[in-house]
Amino acid sequence: MVAAIAEAAMPPGALLPGAGGPTATALAGWLKDVPAHVARGFRAMLWTVELATVATRLRPFSALSLAQRMDLLSGWEQRRSPALRTALRALLIPLKLLHYERAEMFRHVGCRSDLPVVREEQPRWLSQVVNGREIDEDLTLECDVVVVGTGAGGAPVAYELAARGHAVLMLEEGDFHRRSSFDARAARAHRTLYRDHGMTVSLGNLGIPIFSGKAVGGTTVVNSGTCYRAPAQTFAAWREELGLPGEMSPEGMAPYYERVERMLRVAPANPLHLGAIAPIIQRGATQLGLRHAPLLRNAPDCDGQGVCCFGCPTGAKRSTDVSYVPEALLRGAQLVTAARVEHVNIVGGRARGVTATLAGTPAVQRGARRAPRLTVKAQAVVVACGTLLTPLLLQRSSACRSSKWLGKNLSIHPAGKVMALFDERVEQWKGIPQGYSIDHFEDEGLMFEGSSVPLDIAAIGVPWTGRRFTELMERYPHLATFGFMIKDTSRGEVRPGIGGSPLIVYTMNREDTERMQRGFAVLSEVFQAAGARRVLPFVAGHDEVSTPEALAQFRRAKLRPGDFDVTAYHPLGTCRMGPEPSTSCIGPDQQAHDVKGLYVCDGSAVPSSLGVNPQLTIMAMSVRAADILDTRLDR
């Protein structure tokens, strides 16, 4: 059954071998490794495809000829049903990834697949780290502050407080992956560094994959390193609409941004490592009179490996696992990994610590022994689990009950991409994957940023099947990719889901739909102006927009949210700050309205979409919160 689907989706071409039995075998291994609820859902989709033809063809899908199977998949991918398109896309993502991640596929199109082995150092601060997978007994620890999460929100708080002499304990559900384990392979990174293997998808009038990290460093380990301050108009909206203090302004936040930028060594992307995509975008944007420039990044020693989203193998990207976390450990902080926090312990209206479950030894993981429990006693608790998980932890802990906003107000910064085929070689595997921008439309809520991708990620980014899919992938060396994000006005919600994973509900409104359509149109026009032979936005009914006439038709089209191929990387707002419980969950000091000593320092505290990448703002807000918390702790 799996082999039959893979054969029809990825037939052989002139250069690339087709999928089949080996892909099915690889998928069987993948299904054993993913969370149980993901595996069950995936198997249900497989059987849906297998049985979909019984009523009309009197045979299951796998019993049809290859030509019939290819025709069926091609027809399904062109249907304007968002549910069908989303299901087919979700089904094909792991199949394409597992088929295209093989080194031979990279060799067939002439691009690099392997990285040199890195010799790992053993700094002395590693003695401050306890691996929760090596513990088989219950533990009780005491500290001044326990910080739950080590990403953009938690790590800066831990560092700032440890630097002031406070006893700080960091807890991280994921593992501590050193740079020697970053091998540029997308499938492995999805398994080890991404939450739910990168299979988190929102439900609504379109399915949107929402990517977040699960490791020491959180999502900063798998992001592209882009660093922007929040726009002045965003701060103004927070002050005017939510009543946040005047300190929430470019001027008021500047000292905190500056401290973060010094730690991350933020600077414009090195022109030597921008790759061929930058000159292409420069050419098209200049022709159209659009403002463009290199992005600001936190990778001062970048050597253009181009695999930022799978962990930086050179340690050049200053994600928190190589910046804030080690610096906190050097100043006396402690870190426990593989620790899933179940509850914030609240006594008399004040947070007094947390209770966590450790992954435990192999005997625990086999089910032969009970998972060990970690109890932490602390003066204050900082929750920094991320926008999708923080509200679930607070709900389990009966915190923020005075607010009706917990888990709501979700913005996700929806993103789209356009691919284009050029006569010239682009070789987008060379250079920074996100190093250049068109910020001409920033005030309109549109931000265009480079998204060059390696072969295996390009494969899952092309929502086609059959021969046209293979033919396009064989032209990969000539393929360019660029992306954009919209400052969304739509809002969603996070609820408890199966197996502890978040259930995300998000419906895109008409305003954002029109903004998405405009983003695809602008980027298609840039590629046309740059001389692309083919322009591919992959929008239903408008897969290819290669001529001015086709572009004009695209702009006139009445499109729906489900027509777009959308992803998201920046969820925010599910525990937003504000002056009153009636409109927020936490105060301007980032302390919960109804629980003393409980602080929220991650993207969930950010009141709304920023319109730019949020990691710098999350960090700056966390540094500010650390300053406030420092004055309230017992000495």
Side-chain angles (χ1 to χ4, degrees), residues 167-344:
V168 176
L169 174 64
M170 296 177 280
L171 301 181
E172 171 58 54
E173 183 180 4
D175 297 306
F176 202 157
H177 298 275
R178 307 297 307 287
R179 53 183 285 208
S180 59
S181 69
F182 299 149
D183 60 4
R185 294 302 179 89
R188 183 181 186 279
H190 280 195
R191 182 175 71 253
T192 59
L193 302 177
Y194 284 80
R195 182 161 299 282
D196 287 341
H197 288 227
M199 297 294 287
T200 302
V201 179
S202 71
L203 305 177
N205 56 1
L206 75 167
I208 305 176
I210 303 178
F211 297 97
S212 60
K214 181 183 175 182
V216 172
T219 304
T220 72
V221 176
V222 294
N223 70 17
S224 295
T226 303
C227 293
Y228 279 111
R229 296 188 182 192
Q233 62 185 19
T234 298
F235 282 122
W238 294 353
R239 296 192 305 273
E240 295 166 8
E241 297 170 14
L242 298 176
L244 288 179
E247 188 178 1
M248 285 295 162
S249 64
E251 298 76 22
M253 290 298 294
Y256 306 108
Y257 276 123
E258 290 165 3
R259 285 159 63 179
V260 174
E261 289 163 348
R262 284 194 298 272
M263 172 66 81
L264 301 188
R265 297 164 62 190
V266 174
N270 188 334
L272 294 176
H273 303 305
L274 290 177
I277 190 67
I280 287 173
I281 295 301
Q282 290 171 356
R283 196 162 70 220
T286 299
Q287 181 74 17
L288 298 175
L290 307 180
R291 188 174 63 246
H292 54 89
L295 288 167
L296 293 172
R297 305 184 70 239
N298 64 344
D301 301 316
C302 179
D303 59 355
Q305 295 280 358
V307 291
C308 305
C309 298
F310 315 129
C312 178
T314 61
K317 185 179 70 173
R318 300 276 292 165
S319 46
T320 60
D321 60 312
V322 298
S323 56
Y324 277 108
V325 169
E327 292 296 333
L329 294 171
L330 279 170
R331 287 156 180 80
Q334 303 281 326
L335 167 64
V336 179
T337 65
R340 184 181 188 273
V341 174
E342 307 291 349
H343 296 282
V344 176

Side-chain angles (χ1 to χ4, degrees), residues 360-382:
T361 60
V364 172
Q365 296 165 36
R366 290 195 306 268
R369 297 189 61 175
R370 178 182 65 83
R373 178 173 295 177
L374 170 63
T375 302
V376 180
K377 300 177 182 179
Q379 290 186 48
V381 176
V382 174

Side-chain angles (χ1 to χ4, degrees), residues 75-125:
W76 290 343
E77 77 185 39
Q78 293 301 303
R79 294 273 291 274
R80 294 192 69 188
S81 164
L84 183 59
R85 283 167 58 87
T86 299
L88 184 60
R89 181 186 182 194
L91 184 66
L92 293 177
I93 282 176
L95 287 173
K96 289 181 175 180
L97 191 60
L98 292 167
H99 180 60
Y100 273 85
E101 76 153 353
R102 295 177 296 161
E104 66 180 279
M105 304 298 282
F106 286 73
R107 288 195 298 269
H108 281 308
V109 295
C111 63
R112 182 201 65 196
S113 63
D114 297 315
L115 296 176
V117 176
V118 175
R119 184 177 65 86
E120 197 66 80
E121 298 176 351
Q122 297 295 317
R124 64 181 178 86
W125 49 258

Side-chain angles (χ1 to χ4, degrees), residues 1-166:
M1 174 173 62
V2 175
I5 296 172
E7 287 171 351
M10 295 169 283
L15 296 175
L16 295 173
T23 309
T25 301
L27 183 75
W30 181 83
L31 286 171
K32 291 178 181 178
D33 199 36
V34 299
H37 68 282
V38 174
R40 287 194 297 269
F42 196 84
R43 290 191 178 97
M45 287 190 291
L46 287 172
W47 279 106
T48 299
V49 172
E50 175 72 349
L51 301 176
T53 58
V54 172
T56 56
R57 306 291 180 97
L58 304 181
R59 285 181 294 170
F61 183 88
S62 60
L64 301 177
S65 69
L66 176 59
Q68 289 174 321
R69 283 179 272 138
M70 289 172 60
D71 286 343
L72 278 170
L73 289 185
S74 178
W76 290 343
E77 77 185 39
Q78 293 301 303
R79 294 273 291 274
R80 294 192 69 188
S81 164
L84 183 59
R85 283 167 58 87
T86 299
L88 184 60
R89 181 186 182 194
L91 184 66
L92 293 177
I93 282 176
L95 287 173
K96 289 181 175 180
L97 191 60
L98 292 167
H99 180 60
Y100 273 85
E101 76 153 353
R102 295 177 296 161
E104 66 180 279
M105 304 298 282
F106 286 73
R107 288 195 298 269
H108 281 308
V109 295
C111 63
R112 182 201 65 196
S113 63
D114 297 315
L115 296 176
V117 176
V118 175
R119 184 177 65 86
E120 197 66 80
E121 298 176 351
Q122 297 295 317
R124 64 181 178 86
W125 49 258
L126 279 177
S127 64
Q128 306 288 101
V129 180
V130 174
N131 185 350
R133 298 186 184 278
E134 298 175 353
I135 304 299
D136 58 7
E137 298 180 350
D138 291 348
L139 294 177
T140 298
L141 301 175
E142 294 188 25
C143 59
D144 294 336
V145 181
V146 57
V147 179
V148 185
T150 57
V157 174
Y159 163 74
E160 294 289 344
L161 293 176
R164 289 166 170 80
H166 298 291

Side-chain angles (χ1 to χ4, degrees), residues 528 546-553:
Q528 285 187 12
S546 300
T547 65
E549 294 76 19
L551 181 57
Q553 183 180 10

Side-chain angles (χ1 to χ4, degrees), residues 333-612:
Q334 303 281 326
L335 167 64
V336 179
T337 65
R340 184 181 188 273
V341 174
E342 307 291 349
H343 296 282
V344 176
N345 301 326
I346 301 171
V347 180
R350 175 175 286 276
R352 296 293 186 181
V354 301
T355 300
T357 300
L358 301 179
T361 60
V364 172
Q365 296 165 36
R366 290 195 306 268
R369 297 189 61 175
R370 178 182 65 83
R373 178 173 295 177
L374 170 63
T375 302
V376 180
K377 300 177 182 179
Q379 290 186 48
V381 176
V382 174
V383 176
C385 306
T387 299
L388 303 181
L389 293 182
T390 284
L392 304 186
L393 173 58
L394 296 180
Q395 287 172 5
R396 293 196 302 269
S397 307
S398 297
C400 298
R401 300 178 70 178
S402 61
S403 173
K404 297 180 180 180
W405 286 94
L406 187 62
K408 303 182 187 299
N409 187 51
L410 172 69
S411 64
I412 60 173
H413 214 180
K417 71 176 184 310
V418 176
M419 290 183 173
L421 200 61
F422 286 84
D423 291 331
E424 65 197 83
R425 287 181 68 88
V426 178
E427 299 182 345
Q428 61 175 317
W429 64 88
K430 297 179 180 178
I432 301 167
Q434 189 167 294
Y436 210 77
S437 69
I438 301 173
D439 60 359
H440 192 88
F441 304 95
E442 180 182 353
D443 291 344
E444 299 178 34
L446 273 172
M447 195 71 179
F448 297 84
E449 297 178 359
S451 58
S452 298
V453 291
L455 177 68
D456 43 4
I457 298 300
I460 66 176
V462 176
W464 290 351
T465 60
R467 302 206 184 281
R468 69 169 183 166
F469 167 76
T470 301
E471 290 168 359
L472 182 62
M473 292 309 301
E474 290 186 326
R475 300 297 311 280
Y476 171 72
H478 296 263
L479 199 62
T481 308
F482 213 71
F484 69 93
M485 298 174 292
I486 67 167
K487 184 177 181 179
D488 51 333
T489 59
S490 308
R491 292 294 180 267
E493 181 178 355
V494 178
R495 305 170 185 170
I498 300 172
S501 294
L503 173 63
I504 306 165
V505 180
Y506 183 92
T507 298
M508 183 176 286
N509 63 27
R510 189 67 222 168
E511 180 183 350
D512 289 344
T513 301
E514 292 173 353
R515 190 175 285 116
M516 286 293 300
Q517 184 171 353
R518 176 159 165 72
F520 281 108
V522 168
L523 196 43
S524 296
E525 187 175 18
V526 169
F527 274 133
Q528 285 187 12
R533 178 175 290 275
R534 298 178 67 186
V535 178
L536 307 166
F538 302 119
V539 174
H542 302 271
D543 275 340
E544 186 164 345
V545 181
S546 300
T547 65
E549 294 76 19
L551 181 57
Q553 183 180 10
F554 176 81
R555 283 189 162 119
R556 292 193 300 267
K558 298 295 183 182
L559 299 177
R560 301 175 299 188
D563 294 334
F564 302 126
D565 187 12
V566 180
T567 53
Y569 308 89
H570 306 144
L572 301 170
T574 54
C575 192
R576 74 177 182 187
M577 66 162 56
E580 301 294 337
S582 60
T583 58
S584 61
C585 300
I586 61 175
D589 59 356
Q590 296 186 228
Q591 182 175 222
H593 286 302
D594 56 3
V595 181
K596 297 297 183 184
L598 173 60
Y599 294 79
V600 176
C601 296
D602 58 23
S604 70
V606 179
S608 70
S609 177
L610 302 177
V612 295

